Each structure stands twice: as structure tokens, then as C-alpha cells.
């Protein structure tokens, strides 16, 4: 690897290569994809949260014009084999998923039958006349009932305890002797991923060739390939998964879900291509939920506000059918609860509980409740000690001198900068100036507040997630193709990887054609998500580019008869240092490499194709500090965000514009989650928020201007990049919650979690006025 | 999310439309802007064998000024109402309400007749109609009748219109002196969780001659705060306590609860907003009176 | 149910088709005319991904039926893009300001922003946000989108021109080359 080519593109705000097609309506999303002869699917779904299927008559639907087939679990039983996620491995505690309800329904929206017809319109017509008789039974909907009532969501499992953690600590004396002990129950409500494009796929089983092809809106084509191959008992190389442009995922499209299984099985039985495009009602109803959990946290601090110990009892509502596994995030919450602070002792217990609601999917920072709970508790400790929340954090934050530091949960912290980001964020938001402004506003009867949120973000590269592949090809005519196992669906990977390759090869990023997401062609990859692109994908691109660079140099030596030490790469050519004219274009070199193989020296393999796989370092952490100021209207409960600042450290940035965009999207999801979004079930388990009229996403009016500061602590990778895609969603909820709590503190209002819509804000104020 | 099948009719005159409606009865539904109806069809919450599209009847789109009233054709597009100079001058409350309806893409298609017929208790146009005591014309093959807005709305999404009647025109009295509208919605453009609209007319001595105060988003229809209105009558503008009027407006009001807000919240916020619109309308009326009388 | 003939102009081209009444304008454009730039994000009129211009006015094409379009002139995102492949100033600004990530909401925003600015060329920052509030984005947090619209307002005012502004030219030319290449690449769903 040479340092001879300057970093012209890495680190720059390079405009995206993806944009022109997307801006002109020429992207190619799954709903745009036509497979000749394809049929269209719609699902019959349970209208009740729990019940037995006493009758299921699909005959009228089957007879409807345009309906090709109607399948139930009876039809799939013999062909659907147990399968599991390759990425997460087989979870012995989790239920192998069945695509359709099998004699009973376990959440409102549970798919019971799949109707396949000539159009979606006709499929929905058919679904309406499927006759289902259900004997509705009382559901369990919340954690308490799930644990205490005798009603079992999954009789095959026999308990509603999906997972649990018991990690006690010796802390009695610490709590007994501590100057301050605070206890609070922090609640996080159910809210969901909502990519603008729902799930969708076209599955085509061709028995003559023995091949299954799936075009899908997926974040992990290789995962889908192995999952579906296993499901049908097919060898993996007989299954091909292809992704085009994908309209967001946030985790919801990382793992194969039951409806997708049903679509593949339908194609298998029909030997016809079958397409399913999830509509928004389905997506909200059954597309995978998230976030509903709470914890009772006790924290002990000394007289100076230094944290001594924490006790966390964490419970989660994981719904019915989760992907992957049980849906529990207890392990991640436990591991990262200490966050960027010196916390000597922590005890942690967790219970994940099944209920008759939609199961979970991964949603951007699935474990983020650790930050949500901890950062709220920091402010609770601050109020108890009378310390300013910034000061309390300064006292406890890990500084450079503390590193490397191993938390009580065994996480090793190094190469992070929480203290620096804390100071940078405080400076950017003009912390002291705001406190003065706040005091003046209070005197005038206005309620302003400031919230801080400090966190460390684990980049998920352990085990199977630790490697990505890249193939670089220079074609005989000199064009560069970069072929990777990534599954970018908004992360700008097409651009950022081209920046890396362009720097190594001394060419223009726009000269690189990027191919991803086709398992027949692309190297195996663990999918895009988990904030790891800048570590493993960039690593692979970097390695491959280095290999190609070396190859080009060797071919150039042969073609130009000049030693490599006298050559450089720039302008899309290899040329003598200082003499751009004396060189050869990539096209010329490719010609030599491909078209005259016999003339090549024996130690140069013909062609220009290299491949590489990265290996992630054992652990990579990013970190950031969010600071948010709000005004709360105490008459209406409305919260207006005044300013929002993020000081982030993701190491060296490949493209700062992309980094800021990822932060912004995550912040919008946190702001929305706290102030607007709420997935609600009524007392019978009927969902009340299955349209965009009721599930409220933030618009341009509700998301503030976001201001950024950057700190750079390089990661342990060749480029020093670290990854950060989930961070915006992790840090934002507590920043907003803490700001509201800070605004209302003078009224004595206690804010202990979310949702925090106007009614909840007024209720908190009223409770304080009533002396509660 | 695809609608169930229906037959489509695009009459070019009102009479044709009425005849179709009479023929098909409650198997038919008229289609105006579609901004409320089409989602209902797409979600299959309702279905109709026949849709009668009113968009090809130019005679139903107009804003016309008469002595003492402004007549608005039912199929007048909300965006056109928002841009209308006549409406701005003669019924400013209607113009102000328009800007609060949804988003400009909705207003480019939605109509006043559609909105009023749909009778969402949280919608702006029904609230303005009730606040201004608008008159609503309903036509059928049996003739045309006029209903006062006070009598028109009977419940959530329910009106006194017969299944074979089409709303053809709404008439608003001319603007008095001061008017204001305010609403609390979760997001810009959403239906109101609570809203208030007010007009005020003062006599030469700046006493309240009429005060109209309508509340929306809170009950099963838009409502007038009649007790509060009566209490304000004759009171000198300087002596009026808008906050108290607002509180009086919601005293004893039975509000709705839903997933977005409970009844208590709605009542509280409606009272607050009612006070705000009364204050603004009175302020505007006083300024008009001062300008007029020096 | 009886089909109806509808004749309309779509992106400047005369189109005649027989349609089932319940076929939405969005599905007609996407499935019958293969103008797939108009996207479906909700099909109940909230997200704005399906925004098109009908007789110059931005509407939600999921809330109109194709059969209603008799005699209308419809413009989709494809129709806003010049044949040369150059990006309009609105499109170029979205690119320059990173106003898109997954791209799914983008055509709806491009059409809405184009229509918004045609009607109201001078908007405050708050008015820009209000004007855009009828389109949902889940990736960008609206940062780049708002900046893009503001930059178009500024550059149109600076050049005194109504529509195509100089400022976007350099990006637009780069964009043109990529538009060609991008179309080929995007068909990663090459299939067999």
C-alpha cells in the first residue's frame, strides 16, 4: 500500500453517484421490477390478537376470476423446512418461523392465507372472500400480564419468557453507604422503523433449471439466499437473490420475514414468479415493531456526583413473531448501559416477554434503550445532587487518561472521545449562554430546556459480521468495476467506496461502476446495517484497490519498461513520476493484460481482476454527544425544538456529507419517536395506528436544523474509519426527553420516559400541580 | 391497498348527477376532490357500486359576491378559495382556514363541498361554516333546500343530507370587523386536536354586538359556544376577558378521546385557543372601529 | 366493471388507454405507462411519494383515478427532466445539498418542490418547511432537502430567472453522464 496518491476524494463531500438516476425517477426499486408472467400476492390476516381458527374456507377465493391460487399453512407444511438466520445463527430459544398461521393466530395482522392473482387488485378482491372463522380468545398485550397470567402466546414454547438475563453484583453496601441513591422507572414506548418503501419481493422458482431467483427489497441478499435455500432444502448456489435500489430499511429488511417465506413457497408450489409488495397498512401492522421496553434503574453516587453503582431491571415486550430470534436486545442493553462513564459496578436483570402483538424486527440501534435510560438517569442524578447535568457528566465521563477502560460489563473502551464531544457539543450549543437565556425566559413565564445525551456506539463487526468482500475489475477497454457484497439502501456506499478506490487508483470516482446485491456475482456479505460499512466494506474496497494498484504497476512496468518506483497513478493513468505524458491509460494496460496474454511476463497473471476480503478489528466504537434545546408550551403541551447539535466522532470520515446525512436521519427518527410516533394497541389487541393519519412521522416542520461538530479519533483500520450509521437514532431520544424534563423542572413535573406528545406533557405538568 | 371495484360516472351537469344519484341510491357515492373519500376506498373501509364524479360539472365551481353574502360553489377547489381576492376581502375567516388545511397538494384537489359534506369534526371548513352560520344548499331530483350550518352536522362524518342529495353551494355572510382562527395539531397540516374560530362585531361604543365562537376537533361536530357568546354580548371590548370567555366556552363541553388525545386534553387546549381567537378577533375589531370612528 | 377510455397527455405525449375505474392514476402511470419514477409510499394520500403535476398543479396521484384524467396534462418526475439528461436546477440542488439517501421519496419531493417554487418563488425558511411538509422522508431528516430548496430560491433570485439557473450547470453536466451510467447500473436487477 503506498501513500503516493494523495487523498483527493476520501474526506471530501463528494456528490453522490446514486443521485442522477434517483432524482430523475430512473431508480429501480422492487415495485418497478417486472418479471414476465408474474402473479401478485395479497394476504388474509387475522383481525384479532389471539384465537383459534375454527374454519378456513378458501374455495370461493380460489374460484374468483384472476385468482391463480390460495395457500394456507396446510399447503406449505410439507415443503417448508426449518430454517434460521445465517447472520445470527440458530437460536435454540427462538421459534422456527412458520410462514402462515397454523390453526391459531397470535397477533392482529397474523397472516393466515396468501392469495395469488393476476394483479394486486384482484388478489385483494380474493382475500376479501376467504372465509375465516376465529374463536377469539383473551390476549396478553403487556409485559406484566405476559409474565403473570396463564395465557401463553406460543404453546410450543410453553412460557412467555422469551429470554432473560441475570447478572447480579455485590452492591448492597455501596447503595447503603452512598451519598445519593436515585431510583426511577424509565419507559420507552413502541415505535417502528417505517422505511418509505415497505417490504417486497418477486420470487421465481424454475423447476426445469432447479433454480430459485428472488428479486427483493433487502438489506442482506446473502442472508436471504441462505435462509430461503435452507427453507426449501435447496443447495445455496441454486438460489440467487438480487437487490436493485431499496427504499430504506433501518433493520426491517435485514432478515427474512414470514410473508416473504410465504411468497417464496407460493412460487415454489406454482412454478410461477410471485410478487408481493407490502402496502403501508401491512407495514405498520405486521412489518416488525420495536423499542417497547422499560427499566427500573437505581443509581448510587457519591457526594461529588461520581457514579458508584447501577442496578438495572430491564423488561421488553417482544411481541409474537420476531426476526431474528426472540427479538430481545437485553444483551446489548446490558453491555452498553455503562456508556461513556466510569461506572464501577453494575447489576443487570432482564426479562423479554412474548405478547399477542406484532413481533420485533431490528430497528436502527436496536439496543439503544441503554442510552435512553442511562442519559435520563444521569439527569435524575444531577437533579438529586443539585449539580448541573453538564457538570455531572464532566465528573463521570471517560477521559483520554482513563482509556483503555474496561466496563463492568466487559466492554473495552479505547479510541473514543466522549469527553471531547461533550465539550464540543456544549460549546456549539453555547451551554452557559443558554442557561442565561433559560433563566430570563423563566422569569417571563416561558419554559425552555436543554438536554444532553452522551453515548458510545458499538460497530457491529463481531463474528460473521466482521468481513466484507470486494472484487475490482478493470475491463479490457479500461473501465473500472467495483463489485461488493454490500446492500446499500441509502448509505451512499456506491459513492463512498468509489472514493476509496479512486484515491488508490488515482482516478475519478465517477469512472467507477459499482455493482452490489446480486448473490450470483457479488462476494458474500453480511448485509448493510449495524453501522459497519466504513469498517468492513471500506476495508475490503481499500484492500482490493491496493491489490489492483500493485497489479497495474506491474503491468505498467511491462508495458512502459520503467520500474514501478519511477511510476505513479493519477488522472486514470500510470505514468512516469512528474511526466504525465509518459505513461499508459488503464485501457492501454488492460489491453496488454487481456488481449496479449502470451506476451506478459510469467509472473503476471493475465487480466485485471483482484479480490479481497477485509477483517474487522476485534472491536470498534464510535461516540457522540447530542445537545438539544426546546421550548415547551405549557398551555398546549407542544414541544418546539430550538436548536439541535451533534458532536460526533466516527474516526476519519470517508464523506462528511454522508456522515452528517446519516446522523440527521437518525436524529429525525429519535425526534419523531419521542414527540410523535406511537404504535398503539387497544385493550383487545387491535392496532389503532396502521395508517399515516394515525402513526405520525415527523415532517420538515418537526425536524430542526441540525448542527454538527466533528472530532476525529481514528479507528484501528487502514483508513481509520469507524462507522456510525445508527448513532443519530441512539443519541437523540434522551437529548429531547432530557430537554423537556429540564424545561419543566421548575414546575416539578417528572418526565420518566415516552411517549412525550402534548397530552403526556400536559399530564406531567398537571400531576406535578396536583402534588403527585 | 386497492379499492374494491366500482362503476364510474362523469356527468357534465348537476341534473345528470342528481338523476344518477336517484337511480343508484345508497349504492352510489359522489366523488369531489377525493382527498377524504379515496383513502377510505383504498383501505376498503367503505365501498360503493357507483362513483359519481362531480369534477366535470363546471357550473359547481365559482365564488360569487352578492349583497351581504358570498356564494361559493361546492366544487370550488380549496386552493382557488385560498387565492381568491373576493374571499380574502369578504370572508377572511374562510381564507385563513384554507391555509391550515393539510398541504398544498391536498388543497389542489380538495373542494369546499367535499370537505363540508364529509363532515370531519376536526376539519376547518365545517368549523368555519358553523361559526359563520353559513347556509348550505342541498339539491336532489326533488328540488333544492337550504339548511343552516347549525343544523347540518349531526355527528362525526354525519350530516342531515339525504343519500340522494348533493351539496351545491355554501353561502357566507359578509365579514364583520374582526375574525381569527387557531388550532392545535400534532403536525403542520394535520387535523386539529382542538381548534377555535371567532368573529367579533362591535358597536360604535366598542361594546360587543355579536361574538361568534366555534370550536372544532373537540366534539362529534363543530360546536358553537353559545353560552359564552351570550355572556359576551353587550360587554365593552375593554372589559372583555378573553381567557375567561375561552374557559366559559369549554365549560361542561363533552369532548372526544382518541389515540391522539383524550377528552381532558382537548377541553383544556380548546379553552386556551378559544381565549386566543377571542383576543385576536376583538383586537382586530377594535382597530377597525377606531379607524372608522377615530 | 366497465372499462372507460381515457385520453390524456403524459409528459408531453398523447396517451389513450382503456382503464378500469378503480385503477389509480399512480398505478396507471407506473404499471401501464412504465413511468416508475412516481412511487407508492402509503396509498392513502399522506406521504407524497406519488406526487405528480396535473394541469400544472401538484397532486397525490394515489388519490386520483386514471379515468378522471380525460383531457388532462400530466407531468411526472421523468417529464420534469430534460431530454438531454441534464438535471434541472431543483434536481441539481438536491444532489449538491445531499437531499436524498435511499431515493424513494425523492421524485415526490422533486415534483412538489418544483411546483411549490413555480407558485411561490420567494419563501422564508419556515415557509419552505411548511411547503415541504406534505412530503415524508425517512432518511435525510429533511436537512438537505430544505437546503436544496433554499439554494434554488437564492440562485433563481440572483440570476433573475424563473427556472433553469446557471448555478446548477456544472453539477448538471456531471449529472448527465451519471444519469446514463446510472440507469444501466440501477438495473442490478438484470435478471435472467
Amino acid at each position: 500500500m503506498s501513500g503516493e496518491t494523495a487523498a483527493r476524494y476520501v474526506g471530501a463531500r463528494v456528490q453522490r453517484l446514486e443521485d442522477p438516476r434517483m432524482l430523475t425517477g430512473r431508480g429501480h426499486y422492487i415495485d418497478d421490477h417486472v418479471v414476465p408472467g408474474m402473479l401478485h400476492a395479497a394476504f388474509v390476516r387475522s383481525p384479532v390478537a389471539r384465537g383459534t381458527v375454527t374454519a378456513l374456507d378458501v374455495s370461493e377465493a380460489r374460484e374468483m376470476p384472476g385468482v391463480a391460487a390460495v395457500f394456507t399453512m396446510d399447503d406449505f407444511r410439507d415443503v417448508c423446512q426449518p430454517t434460521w438466520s445465517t447472520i445470527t445463527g440458530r437460536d435454540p430459544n427462538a421459534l422456527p418461523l412458520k410462514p402462515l398461521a397454523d390453526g391459531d393466530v397470535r397477533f392482529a395482522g397474523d397472516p393466515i392465507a396468501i392469495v395469488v392473482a393476476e394483479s394486486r387488485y384482484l388478489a385483494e378482491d380474493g382475500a376479501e372472500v376467504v372465509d375465516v372463522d376465529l374463536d377469539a380468545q383473551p390476549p396478553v398485550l403487556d409485559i406484566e400480564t405476559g409474565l403473570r397470567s396463564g395465557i401463553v402466546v406460543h404453546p410450543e414454547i410453553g412460557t412467555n419468557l422469551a429470554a432473560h438475563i441475570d447478572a447480579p453484583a455485590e452492591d448492597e453496601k455501596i447503595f447503603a453507604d452512598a451519598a445519593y441513591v436515585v431510583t426511577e422507572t424509565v419507559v420507552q414506548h413502541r415505535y417502528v422503523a417505517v422505511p418509505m418503501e415497505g417490504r417486497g419481493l418477486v420470487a421465481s422458482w424454475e423447476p426445469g433449471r432447479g433454480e430459485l431467483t428472488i428479486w427483493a427489497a433487502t438489506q442482506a441478499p446473502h442472508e436471504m439466499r441462505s435462509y430461503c435455500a435452507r427453507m426449501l432444502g435447496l443447495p445455496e448456489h441454486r438460489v440467487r437473490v438480487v437487490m436493485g435500489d431499496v427504499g430504506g430499511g433501518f433493520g426491517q429488511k435485514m432478515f427474512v420475514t414470514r410473508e416473504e417465506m410465504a411468497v417464496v413457497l407460493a412460487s415454489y408450489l406454482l412454478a410461477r414468479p410471485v410478487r408481493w409488495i407490502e402496502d403501508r397498512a401491512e407495514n405498520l401492522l405486521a412489518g416488525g415493531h420495536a423499542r417497547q421496553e422499560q427499566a427500573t434503574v437505581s443509581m448510587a453516587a457519591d457526594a461529588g456526583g461520581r457514579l458508584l453503582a447501577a442496578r438495572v431491571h430491564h423488561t421488553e415486550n417482544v411481541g409474537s413473531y420476531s426476526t431474528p430470534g426472540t427479538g430481545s436486545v437485553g444483551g446489548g442493553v446490558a453491555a452498553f448501559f455503562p456508556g461513556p462513564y466510569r461506572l464501577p459496578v453494575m447489576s443487570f436483570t432482564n426479562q423479554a416477554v412474548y405478547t399477542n402483538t406484532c413481533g420485533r424486527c431490528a430497528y436502527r440501534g436496536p439496543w439503544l434503550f441503554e442510552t435512553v435510560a442511562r442519559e435520563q438517569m444521569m439527569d435524575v442524578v444531577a437533579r438529586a445532587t443539585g449539580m448541573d447535568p453538564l457538570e455531572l457528566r464532566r465528573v463521570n465521563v471517560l477521559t483520554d487518561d482513563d482509556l483503555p477502560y474496561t466496563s463492568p460489563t466487559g466492554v473495552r473502551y479505547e479510541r473514543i472521545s466522549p469527553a471531547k464531544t461533550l465539550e464540543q457539543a456544549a460549546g456549539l450549543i453555547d451551554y452557559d449562554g443558554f442557561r442565561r437565556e433559560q433563566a430570563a425566559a423563566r422569569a417571563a413565564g416561558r419554559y425552555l430546556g436543554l438536554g444532553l445525551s452522551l453515548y458510545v456506539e458499538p460497530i457491529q463487526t463481531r463474528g460473521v459480521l466482521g468481513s466484507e468482500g470486494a472484487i475490482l475489475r478493470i475491463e479490457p477497454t479500461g473501465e473500472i468495476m467495483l463489485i461488493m457484497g454490500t446492500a446499500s439502501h441509502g448509505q451512499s456506499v456506491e459513492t463512498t467506496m468509489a472514493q476509496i478506490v479512486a484515491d488508490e487508483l488515482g482516478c475519478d470516482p465517477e469512472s467507477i461502476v459499482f455493482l452490489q446485491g446480486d448473490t450470483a456475482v457479488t462476494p458474500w456479505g453480511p448485509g448493510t446495517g449495524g453501522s459497519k460499512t466504513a469498517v468492513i466494506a471500506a476495508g475490503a474496497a481499500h484492500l482490493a484497490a491496493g491489490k489492483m494498484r500493485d497489479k497495474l504497476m506491474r503491468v505498467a512496468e511491462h508495458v512502459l519498461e520503467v520500474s514501478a518506483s519511477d511510476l505513479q497513478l493519477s488522472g486514470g493513468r500510470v505514468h512516469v513520476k512528474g511526466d504525465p505524458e509518459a505513461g499508459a491509460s488503464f485501457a492501454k494496460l488492460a489491453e496488454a493484460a487481456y488481449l496479449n496474454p502470451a506476451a506478459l511476463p510469467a509472473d503476471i497473471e493475465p487480466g485485471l481482476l483482484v479480490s479481497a476480503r477485509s477483517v474487522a478489528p476485534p472491536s470498534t466504537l464510535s461516540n457522540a454527544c447530542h445537545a438539544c434545546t426546546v421550548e415547551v408550551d405549557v398551555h398546549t403541551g407542544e414541544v418546539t425544538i430550538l436548536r439541535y447539535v451533534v458532536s460526533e466522532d466516527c474516526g476519519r470520515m470517508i464523506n462528511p456529507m454522508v456522515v452528517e446525512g446519516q446522523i440527521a436521519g437518525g436524529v429525525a427518527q429519535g425526534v419523531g419517536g419521542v414527540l410523535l410516533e406511537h404504535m398503539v394497541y387497544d385493550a383487545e389487541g387491535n392496532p389503532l395506528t396502521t395508517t399515516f393519519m394515525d402513526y405520525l412521522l415527523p415532517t420538515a416542520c418537526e425536524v430542526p436544523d441540525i448542527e454538527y461538530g466533528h472530532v476525529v479519533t481514528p479507528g484501528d483500520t487502514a483508513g481509520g474509519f469507524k462507522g456510525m450509521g445508527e448513532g443519530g437514532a441512539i443519541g437523540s431520544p434522551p437529548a429531547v426527553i432530557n430537554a423537556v424534563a429540564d424545561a419543566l423542572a421548575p414546575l416539578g413535573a417528572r418526565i420518566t420516559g415516552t411517549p412525550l406528545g402534548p397530552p403526556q406533557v400536559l399530564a406531567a405538568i398537571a400531576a406535578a400541580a396536583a402534588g403527585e | 391497498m386497492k379499492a374494491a371495484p366500482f362503476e364510474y360516472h362523469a356527468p357534465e351537469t348537476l341534473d345528470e348527477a342528481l338523476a344518477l344519484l336517484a337511480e343508484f341510491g345508497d349504492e352510489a357515492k359522489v366523488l369531489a376532490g377525493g382527498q377524504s373519500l379515496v383513502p377510505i376506498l383504498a383501505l376498503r373501509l367503505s365501498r360503493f357500486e357507483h362513483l359519481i364524479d362531480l369534477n366535470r360539472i363546471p357550473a359547481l365551481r365559482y365564488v360569487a359576491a352578492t349583497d351581504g353574502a358570498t356564494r361559493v360553489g361546492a366544487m370550488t377547489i380549496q386552493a382557488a378559495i385560498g387565492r381568491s381576492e373576493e374571499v380574502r376581502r369578504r370572508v377572511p375567516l374562510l381564507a385563513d382556514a384554507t391555509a391550515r388545511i393539510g398541504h398544498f397538494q391536498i388543497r389542489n384537489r380538495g373542494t369546499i363541498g367535499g370537505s363540508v359534506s364529509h363532515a370531519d369534526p376536526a376539519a376547518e371548513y365545517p368549523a368555519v361554516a358553523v361559526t359563520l352560520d353559513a347556509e348550505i344548499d342541498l339539491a336532489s331530483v326533488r328540488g333544492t333546500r337550504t339548511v343552516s350550518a347549525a343544523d347540518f352536522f349531526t355527528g362525526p362524518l354525519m350530516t342531515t343530507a339525504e343519500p340522494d342529495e348533493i351539496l351545491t353551494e355554501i353561502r357566507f355572510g359578509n365579514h364583520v370587523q374582526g375574525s381569527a382562527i387557531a388550532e392545535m395539531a400534532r403536525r403542520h397540516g394535520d387535523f386539529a386536536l382542538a381548534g377555535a374560530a371567532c368573529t367579533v362585531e362591535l358597536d360604535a361604543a366598542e361594546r360587543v354586538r355579536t361574538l361568534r365562537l366555534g370550536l372544532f376537533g373537540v366534539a362529534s361536530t363543530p360546536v358553537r359556544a353559545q353560552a359564552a357568546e351570550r355572556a359576551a354580548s353587550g360587554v365593552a371590548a375593554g372589559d372583555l376577558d378573553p381567557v375567561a370567555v375561552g374557559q366559559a366556552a369549554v365549560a361542561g363541553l363533552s369532548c372526544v378521546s382518541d389515540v391522539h388525545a383524550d377528552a381532558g386534553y382537548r377541553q383544556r387546549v380548546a379553552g386556551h385557543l378559544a381565549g386566543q381567537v377571542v383576543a385576536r378577533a376583538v383586537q382586530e375589531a377594535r382597530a377597525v372601529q377606531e379607524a372608522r370612528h377615530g | 366493471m366497465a372499462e372507460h377510455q381515457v385520453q390524456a397527455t403524459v409528459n408531453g405525449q398523447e396517451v389513450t388507454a382503456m382503464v378500469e375505474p378503480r385503477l389509480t392514476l399512480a398505478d396507471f402511470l407506473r404499471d401501464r405507462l412504465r413511468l416508475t419514477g412516481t412511487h407508492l409510499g402509503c396509498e392513502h394520500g399522506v406521504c407524497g411519494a406519488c406526487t405528480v403535476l396535473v394541469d400544472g398543479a401538484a397532486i397525490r396521484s394515489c388519490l386520483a383515478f386514471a379515468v378522471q384524467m380525460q383531457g388532462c396534462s400530466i407531468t411526472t418526475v421523468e417529464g420534469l427532466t430534460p431530454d438531454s439528461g441534464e438535471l434541472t436546477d431543483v434536481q441539481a440542488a438536491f444532489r449538491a445539498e445531499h437531499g436524498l439517501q435511499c431515493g424513494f421519496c425523492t421524485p415526490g419531493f422533486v415534483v412538489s418542490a418544483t411546483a411549490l417554487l413555480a407558485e411561490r418563488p420567494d419563501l422564508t425558511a419556515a415557509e419552505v418547511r411548511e411547503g415541504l411538509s406534505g412530503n415524508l422522508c425517512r432518511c435525510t431528516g429533511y436537512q438537505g432537502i430544505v437546503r436544496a430548496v433554499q439554494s434554488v430560491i437564492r440562485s433563481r433570485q440572483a440570476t433573475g430567472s424563473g427556472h433553469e439557473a446557471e448555478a446548477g450547470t456544472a453539477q448538471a453536466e456531471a449529472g448527465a453522464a451519471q444519469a446514463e451510467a446510472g440507469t444501466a447500473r440501477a438495473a442490478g436487477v438484470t435478471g435472467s
Side-chain angles (χ1 to χ4, degrees), chain A residues 642-645 703-707, chain C residues 129 143 146-147 150:
Chain A
L642 302 173
R643 287 185 65 201
Y644 200 101
V645 159
V703 182
D705 277 339
I706 300 167
E707 304 162 58
Chain C
R129 285 179 179 274
Q143 307 296 297
V146 171
R147 284 195 308 260
Q150 289 178 312

Side-chain angles (χ1 to χ4, degrees), chain C:
Chain C
M1 296 293 164
E3 291 201 327
H4 294 245
Q5 187 189 76
V6 61
Q7 268 182 309
T9 307
V10 181
N11 295 336
Q13 304 242 332
E14 284 287 310
V15 167
T16 305
M18 294 296 290
V19 296
E20 193 190 10
R22 64 173 169 167
L23 181 71
T24 63
L25 174 58
D27 284 341
F28 175 70
L29 293 168
R30 289 181 48 75
D31 298 333
R32 297 284 290 272
L33 301 184
R34 300 304 305 154
L35 292 166
T36 57
T38 302
H39 295 155
L40 300 177
C42 76
E43 293 187 288
H44 51 275
V46 179
C47 79
C50 70
T51 309
V52 301
L53 304 180
V54 174
D55 295 334
I59 71 154
R60 288 146 163 31
S61 63
C62 71
L63 297 186
F65 298 108
V67 73
Q68 294 183 283
M69 293 295 116
Q70 177 62 32
C72 293
S73 172
I74 299 158
T75 307
T76 69
V77 64
E78 294 94 335
L80 286 182
T81 310
D83 287 338
S84 64
E86 242 182 73
L87 299 180
T88 65
D89 62 343
V90 170
Q91 290 164 329
F94 268 68
R95 186 174 188 216
E97 299 296 339
H98 194 39
L100 60 154
Q101 292 180 27
C102 82
F104 197 76
C105 72
T106 304
F109 268 102
V110 167
V111 174
S112 292
T114 302
L116 178 70
L117 294 176
E119 197 180 328
R120 301 171 66 192
D122 185 15
L123 297 165
T124 65
E127 287 169 338
V128 167
R129 285 179 179 274
E130 279 173 16
L132 295 173
S133 64
N135 291 74
L136 298 177
C137 173
R138 199 55 168 164
C139 293
T140 67
Y142 306 101
Q143 307 296 297
I145 296 172
V146 171
R147 284 195 308 260
V149 173
Q150 289 178 312
S151 94
V152 172
I153 291 171
R154 276 194 311 268
S155 65
R156 284 184 184 180
Q157 282 173 346
T159 59
S161 75
H163 294 274
E164 312 312 310
E166 317 286 36
T169 313
Q171 279 89 9
E173 284 177 88
Q178 286 314 304
E180 294 308 302
T183 317
R185 282 204 297 285
V189 285
T190 41
S192 38

Side-chain angles (χ1 to χ4, degrees), chain A residues 333-514:
Chain A
V333 174
F336 283 91
F337 185 85
Y341 303 114
R342 282 181 301 281
L343 178 66
V345 173
M346 190 183 92
S347 76
F348 190 92
T349 57
N350 156 276
Q351 291 169 305
V353 182
Y354 288 123
T355 63
N356 292 111
T357 61
C358 179
R360 275 187 174 178
C361 67
Y363 174 27
R364 204 167 199 174
W367 69 92
L368 60 72
F369 183 70
E370 49 81 19
T371 289
V372 174
R374 178 195 62 253
E375 291 304 300
Q376 288 185 67
M377 290 308 296
M378 290 302 280
D379 276 24
V380 173
V381 173
R383 281 190 282 274
T385 60
M387 291 173 75
D388 181 280
L390 173 61
E391 203 45 47
L392 182 77
R393 287 173 171 81
R394 280 175 170 149
V395 157
N396 285 287
V397 70
L398 294 166
T399 65
D400 289 347
D401 291 338
D402 293 311
L403 303 176
Y405 174 87
T406 300
S407 78
T409 56
V411 176
R412 183 182 162 86
Y413 292 118
E414 56 188 340
R415 297 174 186 271
I416 57 171
S417 62
K420 286 200 191 82
T421 61
L422 181 63
E423 297 308 321
Q424 188 180 65
L428 282 169
I429 203 132
D430 186 11
Y431 195 90
D432 294 339
F434 177 79
R435 287 291 182 215
R436 288 191 292 275
E437 189 189 342
Q438 180 183 44
R442 277 181 193 165
R446 290 171 57 218
Y447 294 87
L448 311 190
L450 187 152
L452 294 171
S453 167
L454 195 57
Y455 67 92
V456 177
E457 176 184 356
I459 306 308
Q460 292 130 70
T461 50
R462 279 191 317 170
V464 72
L465 304 177
S467 172
E468 185 62 85
I471 297 169
L472 253 183
R473 281 176 15 194
I474 296 182
E475 310 293 70
T477 42
E479 278 85 33
I480 307 167
M481 279 199 70
L482 174 63
I483 302 164
M484 296 195 64
T486 55
S488 187
H489 49 281
Q491 292 86 348
S492 313
V493 176
E494 192 171 328
T495 303
T496 52
M497 299 303 111
Q499 289 174 254
I500 289 172
V501 171
D503 271 359
E504 272 304 302
L505 300 187
C507 65
D508 187 339
E510 300 202 350
S511 69
I512 298 166
V513 168
F514 181 77

Side-chain angles (χ1 to χ4, degrees), chain A residues 503-721:
Chain A
D503 271 359
E504 272 304 302
L505 300 187
C507 65
D508 187 339
E510 300 202 350
S511 69
I512 298 166
V513 168
F514 181 77
L515 180 64
Q516 66 163 13
D518 182 341
T519 62
V521 172
T522 56
W524 191 92
T528 292
S531 305
K532 60 191 190 299
T533 295
V535 174
I536 61 169
H542 203 168
L543 286 169
K547 287 187 181 179
M548 180 60 82
R549 177 194 171 76
D550 291 345
K551 181 99 196 245
L552 284 169
M553 286 297 216
R554 291 174 62 213
V555 173
E557 278 186 321
H558 158 68
V559 167
L560 299 173
E561 294 174 334
V562 173
S563 160
S565 54
D566 294 322
L567 294 171
Q568 70 179 94
L569 276 143
S570 73
R573 302 164 59 72
V574 180
H575 63 84
V576 174
K577 280 180 184 165
D579 188 1
E581 295 305 306
S585 65
F586 290 171
K588 181 103 189 276
L589 298 174
E591 199 184 298
Y594 282 96
L595 304 182
N596 205 357
L600 291 170
D603 63 342
I604 299 183
E605 189 179 75
L608 289 174
L609 184 149
V610 300
S611 81
R613 288 204 73 93
S614 61
V615 179
S619 158
T620 304
L621 301 170
S622 287
N623 62 274
C625 182
H626 292 216
C628 167
T629 56
V630 302
E631 175 158 8
V632 181
D633 182 332
V634 298
H635 300 289
T636 63
E638 284 169 286
V639 174
T640 304
I641 300 178
L642 302 173
R643 287 185 65 201
Y644 200 101
V645 159
V646 179
S647 166
E648 69 77 44
D649 184 350
C650 62
R652 256 185 94 212
M653 294 182 281
I654 304 169
N655 187 327
M657 183 185 82
V658 169
V659 168
E660 290 169 4
Q662 288 288 301
I663 293 170
V667 168
Q669 288 177 313
V671 166
V674 171
L675 299 178
L676 287 165
E677 300 175 47
H678 191 178
M679 181 58 67
V680 181
Y681 286 92
D682 71 13
E684 279 77 53
N686 299 310
L688 300 180
T689 51
T690 56
T691 70
F692 278 162
M693 283 85 150
D694 293 315
Y695 189 85
L696 305 179
L697 292 188
T699 73
C701 289
E702 287 79 41
V703 182
D705 277 339
I706 300 167
E707 304 162 58
Y708 310 93
H710 298 289
V711 175
V712 180
T713 306
D716 186 15
T717 56
F721 319 121

Side-chain angles (χ1 to χ4, degrees), chain A residues 167-172 174-175 178 180-183 296-301 306-313 334 337-339 341-349 373-374 377-378 381 408-409:
Chain A
E170 295 274 324
D171 60 11
E172 294 291 341
I174 300 172
F175 274 92
Y180 297 101
V181 172
V182 294
T183 300
T296 300
V297 182
S298 294
M299 289 178 88
R306 275 171 291 269
L307 300 175
L308 300 172
R311 286 177 181 151
V312 183
H313 176 59
F337 185 85
Y341 303 114
R342 282 181 301 281
L343 178 66
V345 173
M346 190 183 92
S347 76
F348 190 92
T349 57
R374 178 195 62 253
M377 290 308 296
M378 290 302 280
V381 173
T409 56

